Amino acid sequence: MAGGKGTLDGELSLHGASKDVSVPVEILHTEAGMALRSTDPWVVKISDHDMGAQLDALITLCAHESIADEVKVTVDVQLGEAPTWPAAE
């Protein structure tokens, strides 16, 4: 089994708006599959994706002004017969 760390670069598209993202990841792979996960969460801002009106509507509907414009996102992907992550020490 081989592994390493790197960066997953791409484009996140939500609600018709796109933004470039760069996510730090760690990867494990064998001939049978691969596992990839983000090492830190990254922030997705609702306002970056032209969804300010939807956010305002949600704040009004919930009557709760503490709803944030951003959310922290993590990724954990398994392809094929993915290897399992070693137990944390």
Side-chain angles (χ1 to χ4, degrees):
M1 174 171 41
K5 292 187 177 192
T7 304
L8 179 63
D9 296 316
E11 185 178 83
L12 177 64
S13 296
L14 294 172
H15 199 255
S18 298
K19 182 163 172 112
D20 291 336
V21 295
S22 184
V23 180
V25 295
E26 56 185 339
I27 303 165
L28 292 177
H29 60 89
T30 64
E31 288 185 23
M34 179 174 66
L36 175 142
R37 65 182 177 187
S38 51
T39 57
D40 293 307
W42 80 96
V43 175
V44 174
K45 290 184 133 192
I46 301 301
S47 58
D48 286 346
H49 295 278
D50 297 329
M51 296 179 1
Q54 289 83 353
L55 178 62
D56 291 342
L58 181 60
I59 290 170
T60 300
L61 180 67
C62 295
H64 208 288
E65 291 188 21
S66 68
I67 297 174
D69 177 44
E70 57 187 44
V71 62
K72 291 182 179 177
V73 178
T74 59
V75 173
D76 190 342
V77 178
Q78 298 177 337
L79 303 169
E81 294 180 30
T84 56
W85 296 101
E89 295 180 10

